[in-house]
Amino acid sequence: MMAPTIRVDDEVFAVLQSAATPFVDTPNMVLRRKLGLDVEKAGTTANSVPATQLRGRLWSLVEAGLLSANDELLWHRRQQNKTYTAVVRSDGGLTLMGAANGEHDSPSSAAREAAGYEVNGWKVWRHTKSGKTLDELWSDREAAQS
């Protein structure tokens, strides 16, 4: 079971971010604290799996050794003549370089911030070390598991 997605505007996100303890709090933990709810319950979802075990697909590539913390990802947009850079974090998230809100939990979130509209980050971000897109790395992971 997946947790619901809630989208917030930049002003609300900035308030959540300012109230968070960096590298400790999730947005859910901050909201639980502000709403007077038990923060200890923030580590579980409806299906009782600890949040630390709910890492995304990008983390699976780190676990498989196809990505490492501090690896660089590039997205070159030829028509705009722009190149965006993201760095893989040790928790499996991405930091979009040069962005006001550079911390992202998914490649698509980072691509959306860079582009200003919905983008499949798995198809646009390219791993500089391997030269492959994240989608291609995912296919390599799937093939290795078969």
PDB file of all heavy atoms in Angstrom, residues 108-132:
ATOM      1  N   SER A 108      12.000  12.279 -10.709  1.00  0.00           N
ATOM      2  CA  SER A 108      10.958  13.057 -11.367  1.00  0.00           C
ATOM      3  C   SER A 108      10.676  14.359 -10.631  1.00  0.00           C
ATOM      4  O   SER A 108      10.400  15.385 -11.256  1.00  0.00           O
ATOM      5  CB  SER A 108       9.685  12.220 -11.512  1.00  0.00           C
ATOM      6  OG  SER A 108       9.931  11.136 -12.389  1.00  0.00           O
ATOM      7  N   SER A 109      10.768  14.350  -9.324  1.00  0.00           N
ATOM      8  CA  SER A 109      10.588  15.567  -8.548  1.00  0.00           C
ATOM      9  C   SER A 109      11.681  16.583  -8.882  1.00  0.00           C
ATOM     10  O   SER A 109      11.409  17.770  -9.079  1.00  0.00           O
ATOM     11  CB  SER A 109      10.595  15.237  -7.055  1.00  0.00           C
ATOM     12  OG  SER A 109      10.626  16.403  -6.280  1.00  0.00           O
ATOM     13  N   ALA A 110      12.912  16.118  -8.970  1.00  0.00           N
ATOM     14  CA  ALA A 110      14.031  17.008  -9.323  1.00  0.00           C
ATOM     15  C   ALA A 110      13.872  17.539 -10.747  1.00  0.00           C
ATOM     16  O   ALA A 110      14.100  18.724 -11.003  1.00  0.00           O
ATOM     17  CB  ALA A 110      15.360  16.269  -9.169  1.00  0.00           C
ATOM     18  N   ALA A 111      13.464  16.679 -11.667  1.00  0.00           N
ATOM     19  CA  ALA A 111      13.269  17.102 -13.060  1.00  0.00           C
ATOM     20  C   ALA A 111      12.115  18.097 -13.158  1.00  0.00           C
ATOM     21  O   ALA A 111      12.193  19.074 -13.905  1.00  0.00           O
ATOM     22  CB  ALA A 111      13.017  15.882 -13.947  1.00  0.00           C
ATOM     23  N   ARG A 112      11.050  17.866 -12.384  1.00  0.00           N
ATOM     24  CA  ARG A 112       9.901  18.769 -12.392  1.00  0.00           C
ATOM     25  C   ARG A 112      10.326  20.163 -11.926  1.00  0.00           C
ATOM     26  O   ARG A 112       9.932  21.166 -12.503  1.00  0.00           O
ATOM     27  CB  ARG A 112       8.781  18.219 -11.511  1.00  0.00           C
ATOM     28  CG  ARG A 112       7.556  19.119 -11.457  1.00  0.00           C
ATOM     29  CD  ARG A 112       6.403  18.561 -10.616  1.00  0.00           C
ATOM     30  NE  ARG A 112       6.829  18.140  -9.294  1.00  0.00           N
ATOM     31  CZ  ARG A 112       6.830  16.872  -8.864  1.00  0.00           C
ATOM     32  NH1 ARG A 112       6.430  15.895  -9.650  1.00  0.00           N
ATOM     33  NH2 ARG A 112       7.224  16.579  -7.639  1.00  0.00           N
ATOM     34  N   GLU A 113      11.156  20.220 -10.879  1.00  0.00           N
ATOM     35  CA  GLU A 113      11.604  21.531 -10.417  1.00  0.00           C
ATOM     36  C   GLU A 113      12.465  22.220 -11.475  1.00  0.00           C
ATOM     37  O   GLU A 113      12.327  23.412 -11.715  1.00  0.00           O
ATOM     38  CB  GLU A 113      12.400  21.431  -9.122  1.00  0.00           C
ATOM     39  CG  GLU A 113      12.835  22.807  -8.661  1.00  0.00           C
ATOM     40  CD  GLU A 113      13.440  22.841  -7.289  1.00  0.00           C
ATOM     41  OE1 GLU A 113      13.036  22.064  -6.421  1.00  0.00           O
ATOM     42  OE2 GLU A 113      14.329  23.681  -7.100  1.00  0.00           O
ATOM     43  N   ALA A 114      13.328  21.463 -12.118  1.00  0.00           N
ATOM     44  CA  ALA A 114      14.206  22.053 -13.138  1.00  0.00           C
ATOM     45  C   ALA A 114      13.409  22.548 -14.341  1.00  0.00           C
ATOM     46  O   ALA A 114      13.656  23.639 -14.850  1.00  0.00           O
ATOM     47  CB  ALA A 114      15.247  21.029 -13.586  1.00  0.00           C
ATOM     48  N   ALA A 115      12.439  21.753 -14.782  1.00  0.00           N
ATOM     49  CA  ALA A 115      11.700  22.080 -15.999  1.00  0.00           C
ATOM     50  C   ALA A 115      10.513  23.016 -15.757  1.00  0.00           C
ATOM     51  O   ALA A 115      10.126  23.771 -16.643  1.00  0.00           O
ATOM     52  CB  ALA A 115      11.188  20.796 -16.655  1.00  0.00           C
ATOM     53  N   GLY A 116       9.914  22.900 -14.566  1.00  0.00           N
ATOM     54  CA  GLY A 116       8.723  23.696 -14.293  1.00  0.00           C
ATOM     55  C   GLY A 116       7.442  22.992 -14.692  1.00  0.00           C
ATOM     56  O   GLY A 116       6.371  23.585 -14.668  1.00  0.00           O
ATOM     57  N   TYR A 117       7.530  21.741 -15.096  1.00  0.00           N
ATOM     58  CA  TYR A 117       6.362  20.931 -15.450  1.00  0.00           C
ATOM     59  C   TYR A 117       6.702  19.465 -15.212  1.00  0.00           C
ATOM     60  O   TYR A 117       7.854  19.134 -14.958  1.00  0.00           O
ATOM     61  CB  TYR A 117       5.925  21.164 -16.902  1.00  0.00           C
ATOM     62  CG  TYR A 117       7.014  20.952 -17.926  1.00  0.00           C
ATOM     63  CD1 TYR A 117       7.285  19.684 -18.445  1.00  0.00           C
ATOM     64  CD2 TYR A 117       7.778  22.015 -18.372  1.00  0.00           C
ATOM     65  CE1 TYR A 117       8.298  19.489 -19.371  1.00  0.00           C
ATOM     66  CE2 TYR A 117       8.790  21.826 -19.305  1.00  0.00           C
ATOM     67  CZ  TYR A 117       9.038  20.565 -19.801  1.00  0.00           C
ATOM     68  OH  TYR A 117      10.043  20.373 -20.716  1.00  0.00           O
ATOM     69  N   GLU A 118       5.694  18.588 -15.283  1.00  0.00           N
ATOM     70  CA  GLU A 118       5.903  17.165 -15.018  1.00  0.00           C
ATOM     71  C   GLU A 118       6.845  16.536 -16.046  1.00  0.00           C
ATOM     72  O   GLU A 118       6.669  16.734 -17.248  1.00  0.00           O
ATOM     73  CB  GLU A 118       4.573  16.396 -15.022  1.00  0.00           C
ATOM     74  CG  GLU A 118       3.632  16.781 -13.903  1.00  0.00           C
ATOM     75  CD  GLU A 118       4.144  16.422 -12.523  1.00  0.00           C
ATOM     76  OE1 GLU A 118       4.818  15.382 -12.373  1.00  0.00           O
ATOM     77  OE2 GLU A 118       3.869  17.183 -11.580  1.00  0.00           O
ATOM     78  N   VAL A 119       7.833  15.810 -15.553  1.00  0.00           N
ATOM     79  CA  VAL A 119       8.823  15.149 -16.405  1.00  0.00           C
ATOM     80  C   VAL A 119       9.134  13.793 -15.788  1.00  0.00           C
ATOM     81  O   VAL A 119       9.237  13.680 -14.568  1.00  0.00           O
ATOM     82  CB  VAL A 119      10.137  15.982 -16.485  1.00  0.00           C
ATOM     83  CG1 VAL A 119      11.186  15.272 -17.315  1.00  0.00           C
ATOM     84  CG2 VAL A 119       9.879  17.363 -17.024  1.00  0.00           C
ATOM     85  N   ASN A 120       9.302  12.777 -16.623  1.00  0.00           N
ATOM     86  CA  ASN A 120       9.727  11.467 -16.132  1.00  0.00           C
ATOM     87  C   ASN A 120      11.243  11.532 -15.923  1.00  0.00           C
ATOM     88  O   ASN A 120      12.024  11.384 -16.858  1.00  0.00           O
ATOM     89  CB  ASN A 120       9.361  10.366 -17.114  1.00  0.00           C
ATOM     90  CG  ASN A 120       9.714   8.992 -16.591  1.00  0.00           C
ATOM     91  OD1 ASN A 120      10.532   8.830 -15.686  1.00  0.00           O
ATOM     92  ND2 ASN A 120       9.099   7.981 -17.167  1.00  0.00           N
ATOM     93  N   GLY A 121      11.646  11.749 -14.680  1.00  0.00           N
ATOM     94  CA  GLY A 121      13.065  11.890 -14.353  1.00  0.00           C
ATOM     95  C   GLY A 121      13.876  10.646 -14.651  1.00  0.00           C
ATOM     96  O   GLY A 121      15.086  10.729 -14.881  1.00  0.00           O
ATOM     97  N   TRP A 122      13.236   9.469 -14.645  1.00  0.00           N
ATOM     98  CA  TRP A 122      13.943   8.216 -14.929  1.00  0.00           C
ATOM     99  C   TRP A 122      14.451   8.187 -16.361  1.00  0.00           C
ATOM    100  O   TRP A 122      15.437   7.534 -16.657  1.00  0.00           O
ATOM    101  CB  TRP A 122      13.033   7.023 -14.639  1.00  0.00           C
ATOM    102  CG  TRP A 122      12.839   6.872 -13.176  1.00  0.00           C
ATOM    103  CD1 TRP A 122      11.890   7.467 -12.396  1.00  0.00           C
ATOM    104  CD2 TRP A 122      13.679   6.142 -12.291  1.00  0.00           C
ATOM    105  NE1 TRP A 122      12.081   7.130 -11.082  1.00  0.00           N
ATOM    106  CE2 TRP A 122      13.165   6.314 -10.988  1.00  0.00           C
ATOM    107  CE3 TRP A 122      14.801   5.338 -12.476  1.00  0.00           C
ATOM    108  CZ2 TRP A 122      13.745   5.724  -9.871  1.00  0.00           C
ATOM    109  CZ3 TRP A 122      15.368   4.739 -11.361  1.00  0.00           C
ATOM    110  CH2 TRP A 122      14.845   4.942 -10.083  1.00  0.00           C
ATOM    111  N   LYS A 123      13.798   8.926 -17.247  1.00  0.00           N
ATOM    112  CA  LYS A 123      14.195   8.928 -18.663  1.00  0.00           C
ATOM    113  C   LYS A 123      15.139  10.073 -19.023  1.00  0.00           C
ATOM    114  O   LYS A 123      15.846   9.995 -20.015  1.00  0.00           O
ATOM    115  CB  LYS A 123      12.950   8.968 -19.549  1.00  0.00           C
ATOM    116  CG  LYS A 123      12.111   7.714 -19.399  1.00  0.00           C
ATOM    117  CD  LYS A 123      11.035   7.652 -20.437  1.00  0.00           C
ATOM    118  CE  LYS A 123      10.165   6.435 -20.273  1.00  0.00           C
ATOM    119  NZ  LYS A 123      10.798   5.183 -20.574  1.00  0.00           N
ATOM    120  N   VAL A 124      15.159  11.148 -18.198  1.00  0.00           N
ATOM    121  CA  VAL A 124      15.979  12.307 -18.576  1.00  0.00           C
ATOM    122  C   VAL A 124      17.315  12.404 -17.848  1.00  0.00           C
ATOM    123  O   VAL A 124      18.285  12.919 -18.407  1.00  0.00           O
ATOM    124  CB  VAL A 124      15.193  13.638 -18.427  1.00  0.00           C
ATOM    125  CG1 VAL A 124      13.968  13.641 -19.319  1.00  0.00           C
ATOM    126  CG2 VAL A 124      14.827  13.929 -16.985  1.00  0.00           C
ATOM    127  N   TRP A 125      17.390  11.930 -16.597  1.00  0.00           N
ATOM    128  CA  TRP A 125      18.655  12.026 -15.857  1.00  0.00           C
ATOM    129  C   TRP A 125      19.605  10.939 -16.316  1.00  0.00           C
ATOM    130  O   TRP A 125      19.259   9.767 -16.384  1.00  0.00           O
ATOM    131  CB  TRP A 125      18.432  11.882 -14.347  1.00  0.00           C
ATOM    132  CG  TRP A 125      17.723  13.045 -13.734  1.00  0.00           C
ATOM    133  CD1 TRP A 125      16.457  13.046 -13.238  1.00  0.00           C
ATOM    134  CD2 TRP A 125      18.229  14.367 -13.556  1.00  0.00           C
ATOM    135  NE1 TRP A 125      16.148  14.299 -12.757  1.00  0.00           N
ATOM    136  CE2 TRP A 125      17.217  15.123 -12.935  1.00  0.00           C
ATOM    137  CE3 TRP A 125      19.444  14.982 -13.858  1.00  0.00           C
ATOM    138  CZ2 TRP A 125      17.373  16.465 -12.613  1.00  0.00           C
ATOM    139  CZ3 TRP A 125      19.608  16.314 -13.530  1.00  0.00           C
ATOM    140  CH2 TRP A 125      18.587  17.045 -12.918  1.00  0.00           C
ATOM    141  N   ARG A 126      20.834  11.343 -16.628  1.00  0.00           N
ATOM    142  CA  ARG A 126      21.866  10.420 -17.102  1.00  0.00           C
ATOM    143  C   ARG A 126      23.006  10.372 -16.084  1.00  0.00           C
ATOM    144  O   ARG A 126      23.522  11.402 -15.670  1.00  0.00           O
ATOM    145  CB  ARG A 126      22.380  10.874 -18.463  1.00  0.00           C
ATOM    146  CG  ARG A 126      23.275   9.882 -19.157  1.00  0.00           C
ATOM    147  CD  ARG A 126      23.498  10.250 -20.614  1.00  0.00           C
ATOM    148  NE  ARG A 126      22.302  10.181 -21.421  1.00  0.00           N
ATOM    149  CZ  ARG A 126      21.814   9.056 -21.970  1.00  0.00           C
ATOM    150  NH1 ARG A 126      22.422   7.909 -21.789  1.00  0.00           N
ATOM    151  NH2 ARG A 126      20.726   9.094 -22.700  1.00  0.00           N
ATOM    152  N   HIS A 127      23.373   9.161 -15.686  1.00  0.00           N
ATOM    153  CA  HIS A 127      24.457   8.918 -14.729  1.00  0.00           C
ATOM    154  C   HIS A 127      25.781   9.202 -15.435  1.00  0.00           C
ATOM    155  O   HIS A 127      26.093   8.576 -16.451  1.00  0.00           O
ATOM    156  CB  HIS A 127      24.364   7.461 -14.260  1.00  0.00           C
ATOM    157  CG  HIS A 127      25.360   7.075 -13.231  1.00  0.00           C
ATOM    158  ND1 HIS A 127      26.051   5.902 -13.305  1.00  0.00           N
ATOM    159  CD2 HIS A 127      25.775   7.693 -12.095  1.00  0.00           C
ATOM    160  CE1 HIS A 127      26.850   5.800 -12.256  1.00  0.00           C
ATOM    161  NE2 HIS A 127      26.696   6.882 -11.510  1.00  0.00           N
ATOM    162  N   THR A 128      26.573  10.150 -14.921  1.00  0.00           N
ATOM    163  CA  THR A 128      27.793  10.544 -15.637  1.00  0.00           C
ATOM    164  C   THR A 128      28.826   9.421 -15.701  1.00  0.00           C
ATOM    165  O   THR A 128      29.528   9.299 -16.695  1.00  0.00           O
ATOM    166  CB  THR A 128      28.424  11.807 -15.031  1.00  0.00           C
ATOM    167  OG1 THR A 128      28.688  11.581 -13.657  1.00  0.00           O
ATOM    168  CG2 THR A 128      27.522  13.003 -15.190  1.00  0.00           C
ATOM    169  N   LYS A 129      28.919   8.589 -14.658  1.00  0.00           N
ATOM    170  CA  LYS A 129      29.935   7.521 -14.654  1.00  0.00           C
ATOM    171  C   LYS A 129      29.651   6.435 -15.673  1.00  0.00           C
ATOM    172  O   LYS A 129      30.562   5.934 -16.328  1.00  0.00           O
ATOM    173  CB  LYS A 129      30.065   6.898 -13.262  1.00  0.00           C
ATOM    174  CG  LYS A 129      30.740   7.792 -12.255  1.00  0.00           C
ATOM    175  CD  LYS A 129      30.891   7.104 -10.921  1.00  0.00           C
ATOM    176  CE  LYS A 129      31.536   8.026  -9.904  1.00  0.00           C
ATOM    177  NZ  LYS A 129      31.588   7.410  -8.572  1.00  0.00           N
ATOM    178  N   SER A 130      28.378   6.045 -15.805  1.00  0.00           N
ATOM    179  CA  SER A 130      28.043   4.949 -16.720  1.00  0.00           C
ATOM    180  C   SER A 130      27.547   5.448 -18.071  1.00  0.00           C
ATOM    181  O   SER A 130      27.551   4.697 -19.044  1.00  0.00           O
ATOM    182  CB  SER A 130      26.959   4.056 -16.098  1.00  0.00           C
ATOM    183  OG  SER A 130      25.733   4.768 -15.994  1.00  0.00           O
ATOM    184  N   GLY A 131      27.092   6.702 -18.121  1.00  0.00           N
ATOM    185  CA  GLY A 131      26.526   7.228 -19.355  1.00  0.00           C
ATOM    186  C   GLY A 131      25.094   6.782 -19.600  1.00  0.00           C
ATOM    187  O   GLY A 131      24.500   7.096 -20.619  1.00  0.00           O
ATOM    188  N   LYS A 132      24.514   6.045 -18.654  1.00  0.00           N
ATOM    189  CA  LYS A 132      23.166   5.503 -18.827  1.00  0.00           C
ATOM    190  C   LYS A 132      22.132   6.367 -18.115  1.00  0.00           C
ATOM    191  O   LYS A 132      22.428   7.005 -17.103  1.00  0.00           O
ATOM    192  CB  LYS A 132      23.088   4.082 -18.254  1.00  0.00           C
ATOM    193  CG  LYS A 132      23.955   3.096 -18.991  1.00  0.00           C
ATOM    194  CD  LYS A 132      23.815   1.715 -18.392  1.00  0.00           C
ATOM    195  CE  LYS A 132      24.658   0.698 -19.179  1.00  0.00           C
ATOM    196  NZ  LYS A 132      24.436  -0.660 -18.665  1.00  0.00           N
TER     197      LYS A 132
END
